[in-house]
Amino acid sequence: MSQPVSPARILITNDDGINAPGLAVLEEIAHQLSDDVWVVAPESEKSGAGHSLTLTTPLRVRRLDARRFAVQGTPTDCITMAVNHIMAEARPTLVLSGVNRGANLAEDVTYSGTIAGAMEGTLAGIPSVALSQTLRRPARTPWDTARTHAPGLLRDLLATGWPESVFINVNFPAIDPDEVQGIRVTEQGRRDIGGMDIEERKDPRGFTYFWFGLARTVDRPGHESDLHYVREGWISVTPLHMDLTHHETRKILNDRLERPFK
């Protein structure tokens, strides 16, 4: 059952690192919702880290001020450290992850550390939202679009609420704030064409190394997808579900396979 969400004690993280401009934007946004804002973010960039947890090396935490910490780990590590140690005496009531420099659309959500921060918050039983700002090529990031539209959108989301096993993925289009068409509640898209563009290079000593880059992609038509609406200038709001079970296939397999051996 959906219910309103309290923004009283906000934990924010990201995957671009503690010094990322998008994190500073998210701090501004969070302070419009609450005076009790905590930052626990990776010491360095962890883009593409996905929902990874550090298990084989120790974690170091650097305290920057009373409510600001840098963790030598992933966004998942940051949420885990915050909830179970840094803020253990009074857990956060809302997790915000971002604002990511670049979109997190379609299958991006399986790779994204920004999404992982919201996933881990959800697993901890805390309402969570991931926020991403689409880029303008070659390099301009219109941060004012997220800065302008996120506070009102978050207030509406919090007033509406969402189920415990769901988190919200928000993507802002790569246009100026006054050019935004509006808000669309979308489904997760899926790309038809694309993959990794792997570039082979030589280092100064003549050894080969490789650099991953994202290839140009096209989404499948005919759906109210995040890819489509962000490209058309809308803010995309996609509810994502932590339950990865495909229930229709489970029923088919149950009918065909499930039987006792004795």
Side-chain angles (χ1 to χ4, degrees), residues 204-249:
R205 299 178 64 192
F207 294 104
T208 300
Y209 69 95
F210 299 91
W211 200 290
F212 284 166
L214 296 178
R216 299 179 70 180
T217 57
V218 178
D219 61 307
R220 294 183 178 180
H223 299 283
E224 293 190 339
S225 73
D226 48 10
L227 289 162
H228 170 75
Y229 280 111
V230 168
R231 187 175 59 243
E232 295 298 315
W234 295 78
I235 299 168
S236 167
V237 177
T238 311
L240 298 176
H241 194 202
M242 293 297 297
D243 181 2
L244 299 181
T245 307
H246 191 264
H247 292 281
E248 183 177 337
T249 301

Side-chain angles (χ1 to χ4, degrees), residues 169-183:
N169 182 29
V170 177
N171 282 271
F172 298 94
I175 53 181
D176 291 332
D178 58 356
E179 297 175 329
V180 174
Q181 297 295 309
I183 298 169

Side-chain angles (χ1 to χ4, degrees), residues 42 75 96 113 162 166 179 186 202-203 245:
L96 301 178
W162 57 90
V166 170
E179 297 175 329
T186 61
K202 297 284 187 183
D203 70 17
T245 307

Side-chain angles (χ1 to χ4, degrees), residues 103-109 134 169 171 188-189 191 226-227 230 236:
N104 277 304
L105 303 164
E107 65 273 6
D108 295 344
V109 303
T134 308
N169 182 29
N171 282 271
Q188 180 185 341
R191 296 176 173 99
D226 48 10
L227 289 162
V230 168
S236 167

Side-chain angles (χ1 to χ4, degrees), residues 53-66:
L53 183 67
T54 300
L55 297 175
T56 58
T57 58
L59 291 177
R60 299 189 186 277
V61 179
R62 185 164 61 99
R63 184 170 187 162
L64 303 174
D65 62 36

Side-chain angles (χ1 to χ4, degrees), residues 136-158:
R136 268 185 180 169
R137 299 299 178 188
R140 180 170 176 251
T141 308
W143 294 116
D144 280 346
T145 302
R147 183 182 283 112
T148 299
H149 293 288
L153 173 57
L154 287 170
R155 288 190 187 97
D156 288 344
L157 279 169
L158 297 174

